[in-house]
Amino acid sequence: MKLFGLVLESYGRYVKVKTKDGEVIIKSDKKAPKEGTKIEIKDFGQGDYQAKVLAKKPGDFDYLPNVKFVEIGERLVDETLYSGSSKMQKDKIVINIALFVEELSKRVEINNTFLQRFQKYLVDEPNGENNEFENYINLLSGKYGLKKTKEGIAFLNREKGAFRIFIGDDTITGRISGNEITVYFSRMPENAEELEKKLRKYFSVVSFKLEGFIDGAYV
């Protein structure tokens, strides 16, 4: 990777950069450059600024969070969380958490007490107290939603009618439009028929599709 861009935001080790291909969020051990600085980014060899890309737009995300919330997201999603996930998968979880907390910050004070409670919710098994907290944050989270289960974690973009579910190294994405739901899999799950039956309780049309074979619907 070799990119040239303009620094839009910087916070700690995190920087949002505007490039000719869109915006990216990067992380580096070097001191973050000031906003407005033109930089060259590399993930190999020697250079003025060597960094890792955490997220990009256009690409995996419709929006990129303020980099201050990326730092919060990494604190919340520490090494003990989602240990079965790949590094790339963890980065995506961090960015989604950052988007969720940023939206939540418009209505809730994001202080240390709140973040400690949020991390407890992420780490602990679903229970009565955690379910109450989940309902509370989803009530105030605006255009984003979050659901924690024993198997993984799900994010909803209410504005777009889209969702993303992280389970181990698998990512399941989908879209909801009225009474229709389309679910995209990297590989078709063994329990596809059981999942379809559950979804038909809530949606009149259920479509399963494999990523890379978008025109090949399994209905």
Side-chain angles (χ1 to χ4, degrees), residues 100-148:
F100 184 84
V101 175
E102 181 177 21
E103 182 72 8
L104 198 59
S105 71
K106 299 173 183 178
R107 303 163 193 90
V108 177
E109 183 183 356
I110 309 299
N111 54 28
N112 286 335
T113 301
F114 176 83
L115 292 176
Q116 287 171 5
R117 181 64 189 88
F118 199 111
Q119 188 167 50
K120 185 175 185 298
Y121 156 74
L122 290 175
V123 174
D124 290 352
E125 294 289 333
N127 55 44
E129 182 183 353
N130 275 341
N131 292 339
E132 286 182 11
F133 182 77
E134 183 174 85
N135 291 337
Y136 167 71
I137 57 178
N138 276 288
L139 184 65
L140 299 173
S141 60
K143 62 186 176 185
Y144 296 115
L146 182 153
K147 176 68 177 176
K148 172 79 169 18

mmCIF file of all heavy atoms in Angstrom, residues 100-148:
data_model
loop_
_atom_site.group_PDB
_atom_site.id
_atom_site.type_symbol
_atom_site.label_atom_id
_atom_site.label_comp_id
_atom_site.label_asym_id
_atom_site.label_seq_id
_atom_site.Cartn_x
_atom_site.Cartn_y
_atom_site.Cartn_z
ATOM 1 N N PHE A 100 -21.176 3.538 16.456
ATOM 2 C CA PHE A 100 -22.298 3.439 17.388
ATOM 3 C C PHE A 100 -22.124 4.417 18.553
ATOM 4 O O PHE A 100 -23.047 5.157 18.908
ATOM 5 C CB PHE A 100 -22.417 2.004 17.906
ATOM 6 C CG PHE A 100 -23.605 1.779 18.789
ATOM 7 C CD1 PHE A 100 -24.852 1.499 18.250
ATOM 8 C CD2 PHE A 100 -23.478 1.831 20.165
ATOM 9 C CE1 PHE A 100 -25.953 1.296 19.067
ATOM 10 C CE2 PHE A 100 -24.565 1.629 20.994
ATOM 11 C CZ PHE A 100 -25.807 1.356 20.442
ATOM 12 N N VAL A 101 -20.911 4.438 19.150
ATOM 13 C CA VAL A 101 -20.665 5.309 20.301
ATOM 14 C C VAL A 101 -20.700 6.779 19.883
ATOM 15 O O VAL A 101 -21.190 7.634 20.628
ATOM 16 C CB VAL A 101 -19.321 4.957 20.975
ATOM 17 C CG1 VAL A 101 -18.998 5.942 22.091
ATOM 18 C CG2 VAL A 101 -19.364 3.540 21.537
ATOM 19 N N GLU A 102 -20.184 7.088 18.690
ATOM 20 C CA GLU A 102 -20.234 8.469 18.212
ATOM 21 C C GLU A 102 -21.677 8.953 18.083
ATOM 22 O O GLU A 102 -22.015 10.070 18.498
ATOM 23 C CB GLU A 102 -19.515 8.601 16.871
ATOM 24 C CG GLU A 102 -19.510 10.022 16.338
ATOM 25 C CD GLU A 102 -18.727 10.174 15.048
ATOM 26 O OE1 GLU A 102 -18.518 9.170 14.342
ATOM 27 O OE2 GLU A 102 -18.323 11.312 14.740
ATOM 28 N N GLU A 103 -22.533 8.125 17.524
ATOM 29 C CA GLU A 103 -23.955 8.485 17.403
ATOM 30 C C GLU A 103 -24.593 8.600 18.785
ATOM 31 O O GLU A 103 -25.396 9.504 19.044
ATOM 32 C CB GLU A 103 -24.678 7.426 16.559
ATOM 33 C CG GLU A 103 -26.140 7.701 16.305
ATOM 34 C CD GLU A 103 -26.406 8.833 15.335
ATOM 35 O OE1 GLU A 103 -25.443 9.338 14.716
ATOM 36 O OE2 GLU A 103 -27.577 9.224 15.202
ATOM 37 N N LEU A 104 -24.222 7.707 19.680
ATOM 38 C CA LEU A 104 -24.759 7.716 21.043
ATOM 39 C C LEU A 104 -24.325 8.978 21.798
ATOM 40 O O LEU A 104 -25.068 9.501 22.635
ATOM 41 C CB LEU A 104 -24.270 6.467 21.774
ATOM 42 C CG LEU A 104 -25.002 6.005 23.036
ATOM 43 C CD1 LEU A 104 -26.464 5.719 22.744
ATOM 44 C CD2 LEU A 104 -24.330 4.770 23.592
ATOM 45 N N SER A 105 -23.129 9.489 21.475
ATOM 46 C CA SER A 105 -22.592 10.652 22.189
ATOM 47 C C SER A 105 -23.423 11.912 21.973
ATOM 48 O O SER A 105 -23.287 12.885 22.711
ATOM 49 C CB SER A 105 -21.139 10.914 21.749
ATOM 50 O OG SER A 105 -21.086 11.422 20.424
ATOM 51 N N LYS A 106 -24.282 11.903 20.961
ATOM 52 C CA LYS A 106 -25.149 13.052 20.716
ATOM 53 C C LYS A 106 -26.246 13.167 21.773
ATOM 54 O O LYS A 106 -26.867 14.214 21.912
ATOM 55 C CB LYS A 106 -25.787 12.934 19.328
ATOM 56 C CG LYS A 106 -24.783 12.920 18.178
ATOM 57 C CD LYS A 106 -25.462 12.630 16.855
ATOM 58 C CE LYS A 106 -24.447 12.530 15.708
ATOM 59 N NZ LYS A 106 -25.096 12.188 14.417
ATOM 60 N N ARG A 107 -26.460 12.068 22.532
ATOM 61 C CA ARG A 107 -27.554 12.039 23.497
ATOM 62 C C ARG A 107 -27.132 11.581 24.889
ATOM 63 O O ARG A 107 -27.901 11.673 25.835
ATOM 64 C CB ARG A 107 -28.666 11.117 22.983
ATOM 65 C CG ARG A 107 -29.178 11.545 21.616
ATOM 66 C CD ARG A 107 -29.964 10.444 20.907
ATOM 67 N NE ARG A 107 -30.162 10.802 19.520
ATOM 68 C CZ ARG A 107 -29.321 10.486 18.544
ATOM 69 N NH1 ARG A 107 -28.233 9.791 18.809
ATOM 70 N NH2 ARG A 107 -29.552 10.868 17.305
ATOM 71 N N VAL A 108 -25.907 11.022 25.007
ATOM 72 C CA VAL A 108 -25.416 10.480 26.274
ATOM 73 C C VAL A 108 -24.004 10.998 26.521
ATOM 74 O O VAL A 108 -23.209 11.105 25.574
ATOM 75 C CB VAL A 108 -25.387 8.933 26.253
ATOM 76 C CG1 VAL A 108 -24.803 8.380 27.532
ATOM 77 C CG2 VAL A 108 -26.769 8.371 26.012
ATOM 78 N N GLU A 109 -23.663 11.320 27.772
ATOM 79 C CA GLU A 109 -22.294 11.716 28.103
ATOM 80 C C GLU A 109 -21.405 10.479 28.104
ATOM 81 O O GLU A 109 -21.630 9.533 28.862
ATOM 82 C CB GLU A 109 -22.241 12.390 29.474
ATOM 83 C CG GLU A 109 -20.842 12.890 29.826
ATOM 84 C CD GLU A 109 -20.755 13.501 31.214
ATOM 85 O OE1 GLU A 109 -21.805 13.603 31.882
ATOM 86 O OE2 GLU A 109 -19.643 13.858 31.626
ATOM 87 N N ILE A 110 -20.391 10.471 27.249
ATOM 88 C CA ILE A 110 -19.494 9.323 27.132
ATOM 89 C C ILE A 110 -18.324 9.532 28.094
ATOM 90 O O ILE A 110 -17.249 10.013 27.710
ATOM 91 C CB ILE A 110 -19.000 9.142 25.683
ATOM 92 C CG1 ILE A 110 -20.167 9.137 24.700
ATOM 93 C CG2 ILE A 110 -18.181 7.856 25.558
ATOM 94 C CD1 ILE A 110 -21.164 8.014 24.921
ATOM 95 N N ASN A 111 -18.525 9.205 29.350
ATOM 96 C CA ASN A 111 -17.470 9.346 30.359
ATOM 97 C C ASN A 111 -16.943 7.963 30.748
ATOM 98 O O ASN A 111 -17.397 6.936 30.225
ATOM 99 C CB ASN A 111 -17.999 10.103 31.584
ATOM 100 C CG ASN A 111 -19.265 9.468 32.157
ATOM 101 O OD1 ASN A 111 -19.475 8.262 32.028
ATOM 102 N ND2 ASN A 111 -20.094 10.279 32.787
ATOM 103 N N ASN A 112 -15.986 7.922 31.670
ATOM 104 C CA ASN A 112 -15.363 6.648 32.056
ATOM 105 C C ASN A 112 -16.367 5.681 32.668
ATOM 106 O O ASN A 112 -16.298 4.469 32.429
ATOM 107 C CB ASN A 112 -14.209 6.898 33.029
ATOM 108 C CG ASN A 112 -12.989 7.476 32.346
ATOM 109 O OD1 ASN A 112 -12.791 7.278 31.138
ATOM 110 N ND2 ASN A 112 -12.160 8.195 33.089
ATOM 111 N N THR A 113 -17.289 6.195 33.464
ATOM 112 C CA THR A 113 -18.308 5.331 34.090
ATOM 113 C C THR A 113 -19.152 4.647 33.030
ATOM 114 O O THR A 113 -19.403 3.437 33.088
ATOM 115 C CB THR A 113 -19.211 6.160 35.030
ATOM 116 O OG1 THR A 113 -18.403 6.765 36.034
ATOM 117 C CG2 THR A 113 -20.259 5.272 35.677
ATOM 118 N N PHE A 114 -19.570 5.435 32.021
ATOM 119 C CA PHE A 114 -20.380 4.858 30.947
ATOM 120 C C PHE A 114 -19.582 3.830 30.151
ATOM 121 O O PHE A 114 -20.087 2.748 29.823
ATOM 122 C CB PHE A 114 -20.883 5.961 30.016
ATOM 123 C CG PHE A 114 -21.651 5.432 28.842
ATOM 124 C CD1 PHE A 114 -22.998 5.111 28.966
ATOM 125 C CD2 PHE A 114 -21.020 5.213 27.626
ATOM 126 C CE1 PHE A 114 -23.702 4.589 27.885
ATOM 127 C CE2 PHE A 114 -21.722 4.702 26.545
ATOM 128 C CZ PHE A 114 -23.066 4.394 26.677
ATOM 129 N N LEU A 115 -18.315 4.132 29.833
ATOM 130 C CA LEU A 115 -17.503 3.215 29.033
ATOM 131 C C LEU A 115 -17.207 1.917 29.773
ATOM 132 O O LEU A 115 -17.157 0.842 29.164
ATOM 133 C CB LEU A 115 -16.199 3.899 28.612
ATOM 134 C CG LEU A 115 -16.357 5.053 27.615
ATOM 135 C CD1 LEU A 115 -15.012 5.717 27.351
ATOM 136 C CD2 LEU A 115 -16.970 4.562 26.305
ATOM 137 N N GLN A 116 -17.033 1.994 31.095
ATOM 138 C CA GLN A 116 -16.839 0.776 31.890
ATOM 139 C C GLN A 116 -18.084 -0.099 31.830
ATOM 140 O O GLN A 116 -17.991 -1.324 31.706
ATOM 141 C CB GLN A 116 -16.513 1.148 33.335
ATOM 142 C CG GLN A 116 -15.113 1.704 33.531
ATOM 143 C CD GLN A 116 -14.897 2.271 34.917
ATOM 144 O OE1 GLN A 116 -15.754 2.177 35.793
ATOM 145 N NE2 GLN A 116 -13.744 2.892 35.138
ATOM 146 N N ARG A 117 -19.244 0.521 31.894
ATOM 147 C CA ARG A 117 -20.499 -0.237 31.804
ATOM 148 C C ARG A 117 -20.670 -0.828 30.411
ATOM 149 O O ARG A 117 -21.132 -1.967 30.267
ATOM 150 C CB ARG A 117 -21.685 0.688 32.138
ATOM 151 C CG ARG A 117 -23.038 -0.022 32.086
ATOM 152 C CD ARG A 117 -23.120 -1.110 33.149
ATOM 153 N NE ARG A 117 -24.298 -1.948 32.990
ATOM 154 C CZ ARG A 117 -24.348 -3.041 32.232
ATOM 155 N NH1 ARG A 117 -23.270 -3.437 31.559
ATOM 156 N NH2 ARG A 117 -25.450 -3.762 32.164
ATOM 157 N N PHE A 118 -20.277 -0.070 29.400
ATOM 158 C CA PHE A 118 -20.388 -0.535 28.017
ATOM 159 C C PHE A 118 -19.481 -1.759 27.806
ATOM 160 O O PHE A 118 -19.897 -2.749 27.195
ATOM 161 C CB PHE A 118 -19.995 0.592 27.059
ATOM 162 C CG PHE A 118 -20.493 0.398 25.652
ATOM 163 C CD1 PHE A 118 -21.476 1.221 25.118
ATOM 164 C CD2 PHE A 118 -19.969 -0.594 24.847
ATOM 165 C CE1 PHE A 118 -21.928 1.045 23.832
ATOM 166 C CE2 PHE A 118 -20.412 -0.779 23.549
ATOM 167 C CZ PHE A 118 -21.397 0.056 23.035
ATOM 168 N N GLN A 119 -18.259 -1.700 28.322
ATOM 169 C CA GLN A 119 -17.341 -2.830 28.138
ATOM 170 C C GLN A 119 -17.834 -4.060 28.896
ATOM 171 O O GLN A 119 -17.703 -5.194 28.414
ATOM 172 C CB GLN A 119 -15.933 -2.470 28.578
ATOM 173 C CG GLN A 119 -14.918 -3.559 28.217
ATOM 174 C CD GLN A 119 -13.499 -3.089 28.357
ATOM 175 O OE1 GLN A 119 -13.134 -2.529 29.388
ATOM 176 N NE2 GLN A 119 -12.679 -3.318 27.344
ATOM 177 N N LYS A 120 -18.404 -3.860 30.075
ATOM 178 C CA LYS A 120 -18.977 -4.975 30.827
ATOM 179 C C LYS A 120 -20.084 -5.645 30.011
ATOM 180 O O LYS A 120 -20.199 -6.873 29.967
ATOM 181 C CB LYS A 120 -19.525 -4.480 32.162
ATOM 182 C CG LYS A 120 -20.042 -5.567 33.101
ATOM 183 C CD LYS A 120 -20.448 -4.975 34.444
ATOM 184 C CE LYS A 120 -20.853 -6.067 35.427
ATOM 185 N NZ LYS A 120 -22.025 -6.842 34.994
ATOM 186 N N TYR A 121 -20.884 -4.836 29.357
ATOM 187 C CA TYR A 121 -21.950 -5.352 28.491
ATOM 188 C C TYR A 121 -21.364 -6.182 27.343
ATOM 189 O O TYR A 121 -21.886 -7.254 26.998
ATOM 190 C CB TYR A 121 -22.770 -4.179 27.955
ATOM 191 C CG TYR A 121 -23.507 -4.439 26.669
ATOM 192 C CD1 TYR A 121 -24.649 -5.242 26.638
ATOM 193 C CD2 TYR A 121 -23.063 -3.878 25.466
ATOM 194 C CE1 TYR A 121 -25.321 -5.473 25.450
ATOM 195 C CE2 TYR A 121 -23.731 -4.107 24.282
ATOM 196 C CZ TYR A 121 -24.858 -4.907 24.276
ATOM 197 O OH TYR A 121 -25.524 -5.140 23.104
ATOM 198 N N LEU A 122 -20.263 -5.718 26.751
ATOM 199 C CA LEU A 122 -19.648 -6.434 25.638
ATOM 200 C C LEU A 122 -19.020 -7.757 26.076
ATOM 201 O O LEU A 122 -19.031 -8.738 25.337
ATOM 202 C CB LEU A 122 -18.582 -5.567 24.967
ATOM 203 C CG LEU A 122 -19.066 -4.351 24.169
ATOM 204 C CD1 LEU A 122 -17.878 -3.542 23.685
ATOM 205 C CD2 LEU A 122 -19.933 -4.775 22.993
ATOM 206 N N VAL A 123 -18.452 -7.783 27.280
ATOM 207 C CA VAL A 123 -17.713 -8.961 27.746
ATOM 208 C C VAL A 123 -18.640 -10.023 28.346
ATOM 209 O O VAL A 123 -18.459 -11.226 28.114
ATOM 210 C CB VAL A 123 -16.652 -8.546 28.793
ATOM 211 C CG1 VAL A 123 -15.973 -9.772 29.400
ATOM 212 C CG2 VAL A 123 -15.620 -7.634 28.165
ATOM 213 N N ASP A 124 -19.629 -9.597 29.123
ATOM 214 C CA ASP A 124 -20.473 -10.545 29.857
ATOM 215 C C ASP A 124 -21.468 -11.264 28.951
ATOM 216 O O ASP A 124 -21.812 -10.790 27.864
ATOM 217 C CB ASP A 124 -21.246 -9.817 30.962
ATOM 218 C CG ASP A 124 -20.345 -9.356 32.094
ATOM 219 O OD1 ASP A 124 -19.161 -9.737 32.090
ATOM 220 O OD2 ASP A 124 -20.822 -8.608 32.970
ATOM 221 N N GLU A 125 -21.923 -12.415 29.429
ATOM 222 C CA GLU A 125 -22.972 -13.147 28.733
ATOM 223 C C GLU A 125 -24.283 -12.356 28.806
ATOM 224 O O GLU A 125 -24.510 -11.596 29.760
ATOM 225 C CB GLU A 125 -23.182 -14.518 29.388
ATOM 226 C CG GLU A 125 -21.999 -15.459 29.253
ATOM 227 C CD GLU A 125 -21.819 -15.959 27.836
ATOM 228 O OE1 GLU A 125 -22.825 -16.018 27.100
ATOM 229 O OE2 GLU A 125 -20.680 -16.274 27.456
ATOM 230 N N PRO A 126 -25.160 -12.500 27.805
ATOM 231 C CA PRO A 126 -26.460 -11.826 27.869
ATOM 232 C C PRO A 126 -27.225 -12.229 29.130
ATOM 233 O O PRO A 126 -27.301 -13.405 29.472
ATOM 234 C CB PRO A 126 -27.172 -12.321 26.606
ATOM 235 C CG PRO A 126 -26.070 -12.707 25.667
ATOM 236 C CD PRO A 126 -24.977 -13.246 26.546
ATOM 237 N N ASN A 127 -27.746 -11.238 29.856
ATOM 238 C CA ASN A 127 -28.538 -11.495 31.056
ATOM 239 C C ASN A 127 -29.498 -10.328 31.250
ATOM 240 O O ASN A 127 -29.543 -9.407 30.425
ATOM 241 C CB ASN A 127 -27.645 -11.690 32.290
ATOM 242 C CG ASN A 127 -26.700 -10.512 32.511
ATOM 243 O OD1 ASN A 127 -27.099 -9.356 32.402
ATOM 244 N ND2 ASN A 127 -25.436 -10.803 32.811
ATOM 245 N N GLY A 128 -30.254 -10.351 32.340
ATOM 246 C CA GLY A 128 -31.252 -9.315 32.560
ATOM 247 C C GLY A 128 -30.676 -7.919 32.588
ATOM 248 O O GLY A 128 -31.178 -7.003 31.926
ATOM 249 N N GLU A 129 -29.579 -7.736 33.336
ATOM 250 C CA GLU A 129 -28.964 -6.409 33.452
ATOM 251 C C GLU A 129 -28.412 -5.945 32.109
ATOM 252 O O GLU A 129 -28.592 -4.785 31.718
ATOM 253 C CB GLU A 129 -27.835 -6.460 34.485
ATOM 254 C CG GLU A 129 -27.161 -5.120 34.728
ATOM 255 C CD GLU A 129 -25.996 -5.219 35.697
ATOM 256 O OE1 GLU A 129 -25.793 -6.307 36.285
ATOM 257 O OE2 GLU A 129 -25.280 -4.215 35.841
ATOM 258 N N ASN A 130 -27.753 -6.857 31.392
ATOM 259 C CA ASN A 130 -27.193 -6.494 30.093
ATOM 260 C C ASN A 130 -28.282 -6.201 29.076
ATOM 261 O O ASN A 130 -28.137 -5.317 28.228
ATOM 262 C CB ASN A 130 -26.290 -7.616 29.572
ATOM 263 C CG ASN A 130 -24.873 -7.506 30.111
ATOM 264 O OD1 ASN A 130 -24.466 -6.450 30.573
ATOM 265 N ND2 ASN A 130 -24.142 -8.593 30.064
ATOM 266 N N ASN A 131 -29.383 -6.950 29.137
ATOM 267 C CA ASN A 131 -30.483 -6.709 28.208
ATOM 268 C C ASN A 131 -31.098 -5.329 28.442
ATOM 269 O O ASN A 131 -31.472 -4.635 27.494
ATOM 270 C CB ASN A 131 -31.552 -7.795 28.358
ATOM 271 C CG ASN A 131 -31.062 -9.149 27.879
ATOM 272 O OD1 ASN A 131 -30.110 -9.226 27.096
ATOM 273 N ND2 ASN A 131 -31.683 -10.210 28.359
ATOM 274 N N GLU A 132 -31.189 -4.925 29.706
ATOM 275 C CA GLU A 132 -31.708 -3.597 30.029
ATOM 276 C C GLU A 132 -30.782 -2.510 29.475
ATOM 277 O O GLU A 132 -31.244 -1.499 28.929
ATOM 278 C CB GLU A 132 -31.855 -3.440 31.541
ATOM 279 C CG GLU A 132 -33.023 -4.209 32.134
ATOM 280 C CD GLU A 132 -33.144 -3.986 33.635
ATOM 281 O OE1 GLU A 132 -32.445 -3.085 34.150
ATOM 282 O OE2 GLU A 132 -33.929 -4.705 34.280
ATOM 283 N N PHE A 133 -29.472 -2.720 29.640
ATOM 284 C CA PHE A 133 -28.503 -1.738 29.133
ATOM 285 C C PHE A 133 -28.568 -1.679 27.612
ATOM 286 O O PHE A 133 -28.509 -0.594 27.018
ATOM 287 C CB PHE A 133 -27.097 -2.105 29.593
ATOM 288 C CG PHE A 133 -26.046 -1.121 29.167
ATOM 289 C CD1 PHE A 133 -25.903 0.092 29.825
ATOM 290 C CD2 PHE A 133 -25.192 -1.406 28.101
ATOM 291 C CE1 PHE A 133 -24.931 1.017 29.427
ATOM 292 C CE2 PHE A 133 -24.224 -0.492 27.705
ATOM 293 C CZ PHE A 133 -24.100 0.718 28.362
ATOM 294 N N GLU A 134 -28.692 -2.832 26.954
ATOM 295 C CA GLU A 134 -28.784 -2.881 25.500
ATOM 296 C C GLU A 134 -30.021 -2.128 25.015
ATOM 297 O O GLU A 134 -29.956 -1.357 24.041
ATOM 298 C CB GLU A 134 -28.835 -4.334 25.019
ATOM 299 C CG GLU A 134 -28.858 -4.488 23.509
ATOM 300 C CD GLU A 134 -28.767 -5.941 23.089
ATOM 301 O OE1 GLU A 134 -29.823 -6.611 23.049
ATOM 302 O OE2 GLU A 134 -27.644 -6.412 22.838
ATOM 303 N N ASN A 135 -31.149 -2.322 25.692
ATOM 304 C CA ASN A 135 -32.361 -1.598 25.318
ATOM 305 C C ASN A 135 -32.175 -0.095 25.486
ATOM 306 O O ASN A 135 -32.632 0.704 24.650
ATOM 307 C CB ASN A 135 -33.545 -2.075 26.172
ATOM 308 C CG ASN A 135 -33.969 -3.485 25.843
ATOM 309 O OD1 ASN A 135 -33.706 -3.979 24.749
ATOM 310 N ND2 ASN A 135 -34.603 -4.154 26.786
ATOM 311 N N TYR A 136 -31.488 0.292 26.557
ATOM 312 C CA TYR A 136 -31.247 1.709 26.857
ATOM 313 C C TYR A 136 -30.403 2.372 25.769
ATOM 314 O O TYR A 136 -30.776 3.430 25.239
ATOM 315 C CB TYR A 136 -30.557 1.820 28.222
ATOM 316 C CG TYR A 136 -29.962 3.168 28.529
ATOM 317 C CD1 TYR A 136 -30.770 4.274 28.791
ATOM 318 C CD2 TYR A 136 -28.575 3.336 28.571
ATOM 319 C CE1 TYR A 136 -30.211 5.520 29.075
ATOM 320 C CE2 TYR A 136 -28.018 4.578 28.857
ATOM 321 C CZ TYR A 136 -28.835 5.660 29.112
ATOM 322 O OH TYR A 136 -28.280 6.882 29.389
ATOM 323 N N ILE A 137 -29.270 1.741 25.400
ATOM 324 C CA ILE A 137 -28.394 2.372 24.421
ATOM 325 C C ILE A 137 -29.016 2.364 23.020
ATOM 326 O O ILE A 137 -28.812 3.297 22.235
ATOM 327 C CB ILE A 137 -26.983 1.727 24.392
ATOM 328 C CG1 ILE A 137 -27.058 0.228 24.111
ATOM 329 C CG2 ILE A 137 -26.246 2.009 25.693
ATOM 330 C CD1 ILE A 137 -25.692 -0.453 24.026
ATOM 331 N N ASN A 138 -29.807 1.341 22.710
ATOM 332 C CA ASN A 138 -30.455 1.307 21.402
ATOM 333 C C ASN A 138 -31.583 2.326 21.303
ATOM 334 O O ASN A 138 -31.891 2.818 20.211
ATOM 335 C CB ASN A 138 -30.975 -0.098 21.102
ATOM 336 C CG ASN A 138 -29.904 -1.001 20.516
ATOM 337 O OD1 ASN A 138 -29.500 -0.841 19.377
ATOM 338 N ND2 ASN A 138 -29.421 -1.936 21.315
ATOM 339 N N LEU A 139 -32.186 2.654 22.420
ATOM 340 C CA LEU A 139 -33.231 3.676 22.438
ATOM 341 C C LEU A 139 -32.656 5.049 22.099
ATOM 342 O O LEU A 139 -33.337 5.887 21.506
ATOM 343 C CB LEU A 139 -33.895 3.709 23.822
ATOM 344 C CG LEU A 139 -35.080 4.653 24.012
ATOM 345 C CD1 LEU A 139 -36.257 4.228 23.147
ATOM 346 C CD2 LEU A 139 -35.491 4.688 25.486
ATOM 347 N N LEU A 140 -31.369 5.254 22.438
ATOM 348 C CA LEU A 140 -30.743 6.567 22.277
ATOM 349 C C LEU A 140 -29.704 6.627 21.155
ATOM 350 O O LEU A 140 -29.042 7.646 20.984
ATOM 351 C CB LEU A 140 -30.067 6.968 23.594
ATOM 352 C CG LEU A 140 -30.988 7.092 24.814
ATOM 353 C CD1 LEU A 140 -30.166 7.322 26.076
ATOM 354 C CD2 LEU A 140 -31.967 8.247 24.621
ATOM 355 N N SER A 141 -29.575 5.552 20.380
ATOM 356 C CA SER A 141 -28.453 5.461 19.435
ATOM 357 C C SER A 141 -28.760 5.959 18.030
ATOM 358 O O SER A 141 -27.964 5.759 17.117
ATOM 359 C CB SER A 141 -27.949 4.014 19.363
ATOM 360 O OG SER A 141 -28.994 3.157 18.928
ATOM 361 N N GLY A 142 -29.904 6.591 17.837
ATOM 362 C CA GLY A 142 -30.183 7.216 16.543
ATOM 363 C C GLY A 142 -30.198 6.251 15.377
ATOM 364 O O GLY A 142 -30.930 5.269 15.378
ATOM 365 N N LYS A 143 -29.350 6.528 14.383
ATOM 366 C CA LYS A 143 -29.417 5.757 13.134
ATOM 367 C C LYS A 143 -28.738 4.393 13.208
ATOM 368 O O LYS A 143 -28.799 3.621 12.250
ATOM 369 C CB LYS A 143 -28.821 6.559 11.992
ATOM 370 C CG LYS A 143 -27.347 6.923 12.154
ATOM 371 C CD LYS A 143 -26.922 7.852 11.020
ATOM 372 C CE LYS A 143 -25.487 8.319 11.185
ATOM 373 N NZ LYS A 143 -25.114 9.303 10.149
ATOM 374 N N TYR A 144 -28.078 4.081 14.326
ATOM 375 C CA TYR A 144 -27.414 2.784 14.448
ATOM 376 C C TYR A 144 -28.028 1.937 15.553
ATOM 377 O O TYR A 144 -28.524 2.449 16.551
ATOM 378 C CB TYR A 144 -25.917 2.964 14.731
ATOM 379 C CG TYR A 144 -25.174 3.630 13.608
ATOM 380 C CD1 TYR A 144 -24.592 4.880 13.784
ATOM 381 C CD2 TYR A 144 -25.069 3.033 12.360
ATOM 382 C CE1 TYR A 144 -23.922 5.511 12.743
ATOM 383 C CE2 TYR A 144 -24.409 3.653 11.323
ATOM 384 C CZ TYR A 144 -23.840 4.893 11.515
ATOM 385 O OH TYR A 144 -23.187 5.514 10.482
ATOM 386 N N GLY A 145 -27.979 0.619 15.373
ATOM 387 C CA GLY A 145 -28.432 -0.316 16.389
ATOM 388 C C GLY A 145 -27.358 -1.348 16.660
ATOM 389 O O GLY A 145 -26.467 -1.580 15.836
ATOM 390 N N LEU A 146 -27.418 -1.983 17.837
ATOM 391 C CA LEU A 146 -26.412 -2.971 18.238
ATOM 392 C C LEU A 146 -27.109 -4.092 18.994
ATOM 393 O O LEU A 146 -27.991 -3.851 19.815
ATOM 394 C CB LEU A 146 -25.354 -2.298 19.117
ATOM 395 C CG LEU A 146 -24.167 -3.128 19.617
ATOM 396 C CD1 LEU A 146 -22.975 -2.204 19.865
ATOM 397 C CD2 LEU A 146 -24.485 -3.849 20.910
ATOM 398 N N LYS A 147 -26.706 -5.337 18.715
ATOM 399 C CA LYS A 147 -27.259 -6.501 19.404
ATOM 400 C C LYS A 147 -26.136 -7.471 19.720
ATOM 401 O O LYS A 147 -25.401 -7.907 18.839
ATOM 402 C CB LYS A 147 -28.311 -7.192 18.518
ATOM 403 C CG LYS A 147 -28.882 -8.477 19.101
ATOM 404 C CD LYS A 147 -29.727 -8.223 20.330
ATOM 405 C CE LYS A 147 -30.355 -9.502 20.856
ATOM 406 N NZ LYS A 147 -31.098 -9.275 22.112
ATOM 407 N N LYS A 148 -25.984 -7.809 20.992
ATOM 408 C CA LYS A 148 -24.955 -8.751 21.443
ATOM 409 C C LYS A 148 -25.615 -10.092 21.752
ATOM 410 O O LYS A 148 -26.645 -10.155 22.414
ATOM 411 C CB LYS A 148 -24.278 -8.179 22.694
ATOM 412 C CG LYS A 148 -23.307 -9.118 23.392
ATOM 413 C CD LYS A 148 -21.982 -9.166 22.690
ATOM 414 C CE LYS A 148 -20.901 -9.868 23.495
ATOM 415 N NZ LYS A 148 -21.270 -10.720 24.586
#
